[in-house]
């Protein structure tokens, strides 16, 4: 079976959020079963990291979307990657979606319309004369119009759309319809129209053969008004037709503290001196005071969804009880600044590194005793899985993937509401566990024994692709 995996991020080259980790890991987990190939835009960071790109095809200009060239390359371990080359759209500073100041690019409709249209052409065999797809797997709003372009071209090619986060929908003015060459007739309540705007994500939800999301709990949540972001009726309809499936993400096998070369000192379950060496390293790296109290790690995108305001509200109580907080991530400027201000007030107890570095994130998981995850909603979440493998017990809101991957009182702590009182309840339970050495030891061992392999997820996707192909 041949599958085209369309994404806007991939850990090998460019990362903003969890989509990048999934886009690197899932195709690799599928390789033993499927001829899977990744398509992503030729951002500056991507081009700089690929040693050889073979030009294999050309996309003609369409509406206001410029012509583009398709290149074929491969990752270091041989995973085939197609790169959409269009310097005027993708050769820019900043991240895949916006400039260095966090502002979205004003032509994101054209940038990702171009990606989706090219994906449809490639899947149909029009760009690589030696390859065409049996199934297209599009990811999030940036690739969501791929099934739509297939339908508008008259192709009867099955497609899967994975919703990694429903809150990001790719909303644009109605005029974008013309700019991306979408038919005027598609702009209605049963098409791309969403409250008089054009929604890329809704387009994918309407046109894809099957929908998935990244945990079973989130698949149920998004059919409700509370989590459905205005699309709950459509999603409920797809769910009732058995066309919406929750498949939990995994994490790759490099998340093993016994063999991780990026740690200050590798360690395994029971080697708490090794874990303490990582804690000492993190304190020194972030300029924190020497302490025997717990470290609370926060490795996240610094956005409202992640409940960073709750962490800031809880900071005084954590510090007064003898804890310290270490944060890394990037996000909205106001939240970044609030964390920097908190660090300046208490540099001995709050360490902050704006930006994301994989090695630093691993060292924080290894050195921290607890990982803070007060997300308002969390489709899947990866940090709680990384944290458990590294013996950092997650404190998470009982929602989405957090509810599925944290066993309350055994491998971490769940709290019921995204409120400061509920969150503090989880933090107080963590402090009580930290003081009870035997209980802390038992919970750490249970957490570190968890496996979150991609193999099960890959088997579920393989079955889903086969189902999509069935007449």
């Amino acid at each position: 079976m041949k599958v085209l995996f369309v994404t806007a991020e991939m850990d090998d080259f460019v990362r903003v959020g969890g989509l990048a980790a999934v886009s690197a890991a899932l195709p690799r987990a599928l390789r033993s079963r499927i001829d899977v190939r990744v398509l992503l835009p030729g951002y500056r960071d991507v081009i700089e990291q690929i040693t050889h790109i073979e030009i294999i095809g050309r996309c003609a200009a369409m509406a206001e979307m410029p012509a583009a060239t398709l290149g074929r390359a491969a990752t270091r371990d041989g995973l085939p990657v197609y790169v959409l080359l269009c310097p005027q759209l993708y050769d820019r500073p900043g991240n895949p979606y916006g400039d260095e100041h966090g502002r979205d690019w004003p032509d994101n409709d054209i940038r990702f319309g171009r990606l989706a249209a090219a994906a449809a052409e490639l899947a149909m065999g029009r760009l690589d004369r030696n390859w065409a797809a049996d199934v297209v797997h599009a990811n999030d709003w940036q690739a969501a119009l791929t099934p739509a372009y297939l339908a508008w071209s008259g192709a009867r090619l099955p497609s899967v759309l994975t919703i990694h986060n429903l809150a990001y929908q790719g909303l644009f003015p109605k005029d974008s319809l013309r700019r991306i060459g979408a038919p005027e007739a598609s702009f209605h309540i049963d098409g791309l129209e969403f409250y008089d705007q054009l929604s890329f994500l809704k387009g994918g939800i309407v046109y894809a053969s099957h929908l998935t999301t990244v945990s079973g709990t989130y698949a149920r949540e998004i059919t409700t008004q509370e989590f459905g972001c205005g699309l709950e009726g459509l999603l409920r309809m797809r769910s009732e037709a058995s066309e919406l499936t929750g498949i939990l993400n995994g994490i790759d096998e490099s998340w093993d503290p016994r063999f991780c070369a990026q740690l200050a000192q590798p360690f395994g379950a029971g080697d708490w001196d090794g874990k303490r060496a990582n804690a000492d390293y993190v304190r020194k790296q972030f300029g924190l005071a020497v302490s025997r109290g717990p470290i609370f790690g926060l490795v996240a995108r610094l956005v409202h969804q992640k409940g960073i305001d709750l962490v800031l509200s809880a900071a005084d109580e954590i510090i007064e009880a003898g804890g310290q907080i270490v944060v890394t991530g990037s996000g909205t400027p106001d939240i970044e600044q609030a964390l920097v201000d908190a660090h300046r007030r208490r540099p001995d107890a709050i360490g902050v590194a704006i930006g994301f570095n994989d090695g630093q994130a691993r060292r924080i998981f290894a050195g921290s005793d607890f990982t803070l995850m007060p997300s308002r909603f969390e489709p899947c979440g990866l940090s709680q899985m990384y944290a458990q493998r590294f013996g950092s017990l997650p404190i998470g809101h009982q929602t989405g993937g957090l509810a599925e991957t944290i066993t309350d009182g055994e491998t971490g702590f769940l709290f019921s509401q995204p409120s400061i009182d509920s969150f503090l309840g989880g933090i107080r339970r963590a402090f009580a566990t930290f003081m009870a050495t035997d209980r802390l030891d038992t919970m750490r061992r249970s957490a570190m024994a968890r496996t979150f392999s991609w193999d099960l997820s890959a088997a579920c996707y393989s079955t889903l692709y086969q189902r999509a192909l069935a007449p």
Side-chain angles (χ1 to χ4, degrees):
M1 190 194 306
K2 294 175 288 185
V3 174
L4 179 63
F5 190 93
V6 192
T7 182
E9 303 176 30
M10 187 181 185
D11 251 352
D12 300 65
F13 311 111
V14 60
R15 177 191 180 99
V16 175
L19 172 61
V22 175
S23 299
L26 178 56
R28 286 180 164 93
L30 289 164
R31 281 173 79 184
S32 63
R33 304 171 171 86
I34 288 168
D35 176 3
V36 58
R37 305 187 181 192
V38 178
L39 170 66
L40 75 163
Y43 310 117
R44 184 177 296 178
D45 286 348
V46 174
I47 303 303
E48 288 174 351
Q49 293 176 74
I50 293 179
T51 51
H52 176 69
I53 299 178
E54 177 190 1
I55 303 303
I56 58 163
R58 180 175 171 80
C59 307
M62 178 180 177
E64 292 188 20
M65 301 189 298
T69 302
L70 187 71
R72 187 171 57 204
T75 60
R76 288 174 184 161
D77 59 345
L79 179 68
V81 176
Y82 291 105
V83 182
L84 187 61
L85 303 168
C86 186
Q88 72 190 85
L89 296 183
Y90 307 125
D91 185 10
R92 302 178 183 182
N95 71 43
Y97 315 125
D99 62 22
E100 307 98 313
H101 306 292
R103 294 179 298 234
D104 286 352
W105 297 115
D107 60 347
N108 272 347
D109 53 347
I110 290 175
R111 297 174 75 238
F112 294 108
R114 177 72 283 178
L115 174 67
E121 286 193 69
L122 174 59
M124 290 186 286
R126 295 179 181 174
L127 297 180
D128 183 344
R129 57 192 177 89
N130 296 313
W131 195 84
D134 297 312
V135 179
V136 177
H137 186 164
N139 291 271
D140 265 354
W141 74 262
Q142 300 91 344
L145 285 188
T146 306
Y149 281 108
L150 286 169
W152 298 332
S153 299
R156 299 178 62 83
L157 201 62
S159 56
V160 174
L161 170 67
T162 296
I163 302 166
H164 296 264
N165 192 331
L166 189 66
Y168 298 93
Q169 297 186 13
L171 296 176
F172 299 97
K174 181 183 177 181
D175 188 52
S176 289
L177 203 70
R178 174 184 55 78
R179 286 157 57 87
I180 65 170
E184 187 74 28
S186 67
F187 193 78
H188 57 83
I189 194 167
D190 295 321
L192 307 186
E193 188 269 335
F194 184 74
Y195 293 97
D196 206 37
Q197 289 183 292
L198 183 156
S199 169
F200 275 43
L201 187 64
K202 186 185 176 193
I205 292 170
V206 168
Y207 286 101
S209 310
H210 197 94
L211 309 176
T212 74
T213 190
V214 288
S215 70
T217 305
Y218 192 60
R220 292 188 295 274
E221 287 177 342
I222 60 175
T223 64
T224 68
Q225 189 172 1
E226 183 180 0
F227 294 100
C229 303
L231 293 167
E232 61 273 7
L234 178 57
L235 289 162
R236 196 158 50 244
M237 186 175 71
R238 297 298 308 259
S239 178
E240 288 167 357
S242 300
E243 295 167 349
L244 169 61
T245 306
I247 301 176
L248 191 70
N249 286 336
I251 58 175
D252 69 63
E253 293 176 7
S254 71
W255 289 92
D256 188 329
R258 297 171 298 172
F259 310 113
C260 184
Q262 291 161 297
L263 303 188
Q265 183 176 318
F267 67 98
D271 178 13
W272 308 135
D273 287 340
K275 185 161 177 64
R276 204 168 292 117
N278 284 282
D280 292 342
Y281 181 90
V282 167
R283 284 192 174 96
K284 188 173 181 181
Q285 184 185 22
F286 283 86
L288 302 182
V290 175
S291 170
R292 281 293 185 186
I295 296 177
F296 292 78
L298 175 63
V299 179
R301 281 185 301 117
L302 305 178
V303 294
H304 180 70
Q305 173 208 333
K306 299 294 185 179
I308 313 299
D309 55 316
L310 297 177
V311 174
L312 289 164
S313 297
D316 285 346
E317 179 164 329
I318 290 173
I319 294 167
E320 285 169 15
Q324 296 169 315
I325 301 170
V326 177
V327 182
T328 190
S330 59
T332 57
D334 58 327
I335 293 177
E336 291 181 354
Q337 189 59 52
L339 286 164
V340 169
D341 291 345
H343 159 70
R344 285 176 180 156
R345 284 193 300 273
R346 290 300 305 266
D348 60 317
I350 300 177
V352 175
I354 300 300
F356 184 82
N357 174 282
D358 182 67
Q360 186 174 65
R362 288 169 184 261
R363 289 186 286 275
I364 290 173
F365 286 124
S368 59
D369 300 286
F370 305 103
T371 290
L372 300 171
M373 295 200 69
S375 304
R376 288 179 163 81
F377 61 93
E378 192 61 71
C380 177
L382 298 175
S383 286
Q384 80 279 10
M385 300 188 211
Y386 301 149
Q388 288 172 79
R389 295 287 293 130
F390 279 53
S392 179
L393 304 177
I395 305 169
H397 175 210
Q398 191 166 356
T399 186
L402 301 181
E404 286 185 35
T405 54
I406 300 169
T407 305
D408 187 43
E410 292 183 25
T411 67
F413 307 92
L414 292 170
F415 57 93
S416 59
Q417 298 296 324
S419 67
I420 186 60
D421 289 341
S422 190
F423 182 35
L424 284 171
I427 289 169
R428 289 165 190 152
R429 290 173 65 202
F431 269 109
T433 298
F434 186 79
M435 301 303 291
T437 309
D438 289 348
R439 179 162 170 70
L440 180 64
D441 177 74
T442 300
M443 287 188 69
R444 279 179 173 169
R445 288 176 183 273
S446 296
M448 294 176 75
R450 295 292 302 271
T451 56
F452 300 102
S453 169
W454 270 108
D455 289 344
L456 180 60
S457 307
C460 292
Y461 278 107
S462 294
T463 301
L464 193 64
Y465 299 151
Q466 294 282 4
R467 216 171 95 197
L469 272 172

